Amino acid sequence: MHETLNPAGPARPSAAEANEAIRHLVETRVDGEWPSEAYEFLLAEWAEASRAEVSPAL
């Protein structure tokens, strides 16, 4: 019998948590530089959480 293992890493943030992290990143950037890598990572986290939180339409 095959068992499915849960990932050992940290849980993904909720869409609201990822959105808050994006806002914080944008508001606290230094020297007017755009933190593109961090922004892209957080945006992907937000997108994944948003998909998981939305139920399919019937």
Side-chain angles (χ1 to χ4, degrees):
M1 188 171 185
H2 179 69
E3 291 183 37
T4 302
L5 300 176
N6 291 328
R12 287 191 180 270
S14 68
E17 291 168 329
N19 190 36
E20 184 60 32
I22 291 170
R23 287 177 192 231
H24 178 73
L25 178 69
V26 171
E27 291 171 356
T28 60
R29 57 190 166 140
V30 179
D31 298 329
E33 289 187 33
W34 184 250
S36 59
E37 287 183 30
Y39 177 78
E40 288 175 18
F41 173 79
L42 290 171
L43 189 59
E45 291 288 305
W46 173 84
E48 184 63 32
S50 295
R51 277 192 288 278
E53 292 176 9
V54 175
S55 61
L58 299 174

